Amino acid sequence: MNSRERFLAACWSKPLDRPPVWMMRQAGRYLPEYRSIRAKRSFLEMCKTPELAAEVTMQPIRRFGMDAAIIFSDILIVPEAMGISISYEEGGPRLDPVISTRADLERLRVPADGDLQFTCEALRLVRNQLGGTTALLGFAGAPFTLASYMLESGSPRELIATKSLQYSNPDLLKGLLDRLADSVAWFLEKQVAAGADAVQIFDTWAGNLSPSDYREFALPSAARVIARVRKTGVPVILYINGVAGVLEAASTSGATVMGIDWRMDLTAADGVVGDRAGLQGNLDPAMLFAPVSRIRNEVRRVHSALSRRSGHIFNLGHGILPSTPLEGAAAFIDAVRELD
Ligand code: CP3
């Protein structure tokens, strides 16, 4: 089995030799080769220059040999294509203008042919370089998480503005979620056409909702996106940070695989999700700072606890931290590759 076959088998919960492995945010600042390009270019310039995005997508694959590459980009590229200006500052991203009225919503455009070409071109470049043996992932933010960034001006944290709107004007929030769902579904379809083998949808902030609010707002908009992308035939991974409280509802979204953060045992997640979806995760990103022997033991422990399941993709429970030691990342990938 090559890496691409292994990754797709795991997505569809088919039998395989060992679980595939990759890491969320695997192209990024913990890599010296990323930092040396980033020293000369802005982050957005890297996202929008297909050759640079392709190069940093390939960097972790060359160094560690993960089973899947994820295209280098950012979830906030979609709001930008809808007419919002974005900038990345010390305290996090900033979005302008903040959406707060129906008129603001009406001004947002749904991207169409000609938009976001740089990501599709980067996917085509990486697809050629990978030569069909390593899986290639596209991605986008889920409507609820993108709405949170647009309503909070870039720093969701407590989601005060998002939840206030949810209580005072639920129809306006739903209108925004609808427009985002159309935009995200369109973009993911384009990424599949450009060569993505699978896509991941990041609903990073949805774990902050009560289960009933999750069902009313975040779930229907994510499910709409998933239904459209599933028609292309590729598997869809749905990641939610702090997923435990909404996992049961989220596992009815139509996603092929559920991403699980490290605050929940994968065996407990298995009990909730059952055969509705595969599981991806869920090492604590801080575990990569542990001694190599500790990392290896943890990989074996998780693997044996899940031995009944074929649909497991090894990953971290959230993105790799910028200060992660290279030895920790290498130990994690190697430990999974040595499983049988
Ligand atoms: O996984 C990968 O390697 C692909 C690249 C990727 C990035 N962002 C690159 C990035 C992916 C999949 C994302 C997704 C993303 N972006 C999410 C969802 C995943 C998650 O972590 O929950 C979110 C919430 C964002 C928004 C975002 N982008 C924030 C909040 C920030 C600033 C915080 C930070 O980590 O610096 C970014 C910037 C960003 N996105 C960087 C990278 C490599 C750092 C930019 C730099 O080089 O300075």
Side-chain angles (χ1 to χ4, degrees):
M1 240 177 187
N2 67 32
S3 287
R4 182 167 174 267
E5 292 162 346
R6 180 178 301 115
F7 184 84
L8 289 170
C11 286
W12 297 114
S13 295
K14 301 245 177 67
L16 36 65
D17 50 355
R18 61 149 173 95
V21 60
W22 67 285
M23 296 188 292
M24 287 187 275
R25 296 265 187 118
Q26 64 191 16
R29 288 160 292 182
Y30 73 108
L31 288 176
E33 56 270 38
Y34 174 89
R35 292 195 302 268
S36 85
I37 295 183
R38 178 72 175 84
K40 291 175 238 115
R41 312 285 190 137
S42 77
F43 172 63
L44 275 178
E45 193 184 349
M46 288 169 68
C47 292
K48 293 180 181 178
T49 311
E51 293 73 20
L52 289 178
E55 168 58 22
V56 292
T57 299
M58 291 299 295
Q59 285 176 345
I61 307 301
R62 286 191 209 113
R63 188 186 268 270
F64 301 112
M66 293 88 170
D67 294 293
I70 181 163
I71 197 67
F72 184 80
S73 180
D74 197 72
I75 62 169
L76 301 178
I77 288 293
V78 168
E80 190 186 43
M82 296 173 79
I84 304 284
S85 92
I86 59 172
S87 61
Y88 293 84
E89 295 166 7
E90 277 304 309
R94 284 201 69 76
L95 284 79
D96 187 58
V98 178
I99 301 298
S100 55
T101 64
R102 173 65 61 178
D104 296 335
L105 168 59
E106 299 303 337
R107 273 193 293 273
L108 289 176
R109 47 188 297 273
V110 172
D113 285 344
D115 288 323
L116 300 169
Q117 297 271 20
F118 45 83
T119 303
C120 296
E121 184 53 26
L123 280 159
R124 282 188 281 269
L125 293 173
V126 175
R127 171 87 281 159
N128 283 339
Q129 293 180 40
L130 290 175
T133 53
T134 299
L136 176 56
L137 280 164
F139 75 88
F144 178 78
T145 288
L146 293 179
S148 305
Y149 279 98
M150 293 162 96
L151 294 162
E152 314 277 343
S153 169
S155 313
R157 280 188 273 274
E158 307 298 331
L159 299 182
I160 302 293
T162 310
K163 291 184 182 181
S164 297
L165 186 64
Q166 183 182 289
Y167 302 130
S168 65
N169 193 347
D171 289 343
L172 179 57
L173 177 58
K174 285 177 186 172
L176 175 58
L177 292 170
D178 280 346
R179 197 162 291 211
L180 283 163
D182 290 340
S183 305
V184 168
W186 171 86
F187 187 35
L188 290 173
E189 286 168 352
K190 289 283 168 202
Q191 294 186 50
V192 172
D197 292 309
V199 300
Q200 176 154 321
I201 298 175
F202 287 93
D203 213 349
T204 304
W205 290 94
N208 224 295
L209 291 174
S210 70
S212 68
D213 287 342
Y214 176 78
R215 278 196 188 82
E216 184 177 351
F217 296 97
L219 176 60
S221 52
R224 258 184 66 191
V225 174
I226 293 169
R228 255 178 75 178
V229 179
R230 286 289 302 269
K231 284 200 190 112
T232 67
V234 305
V236 177
I237 306 168
L238 176 61
Y239 172 79
I240 299 173
N241 191 24
V243 73
V246 300
L247 180 58
E248 184 165 17
S251 70
T252 67
S253 62
T256 330
V257 176
M258 288 302 309
I260 309 293
D261 63 279
W262 71 96
R263 301 169 191 86
M264 181 180 201
D265 267 330
L266 278 186
T267 47
D270 187 21
V272 175
V273 173
D275 57 15
R276 283 195 290 268
L279 301 178
Q280 174 175 277
N282 75 339
L283 237 68
D284 184 341
M287 173 77 67
L288 302 188
F289 293 79
V292 166
S293 59
R294 179 75 178 80
I295 297 170
R296 299 181 74 83
N297 285 342
E298 182 65 8
V299 165
R300 282 194 290 262
R301 186 189 70 76
V302 170
H303 183 57
S304 56
L306 274 185
S307 57
R308 291 182 303 109
R309 220 182 214 282
S310 42
H312 175 220
I313 300 169
F314 253 113
N315 204 318
L316 305 175
H318 199 178
I320 189 167
L321 299 162
S323 56
T324 299
L326 293 169
E327 309 77 62
F332 172 50
I333 304 297
D334 289 346
V336 178
R337 289 175 13 152
E338 287 160 23
L339 291 170
D340 48 37

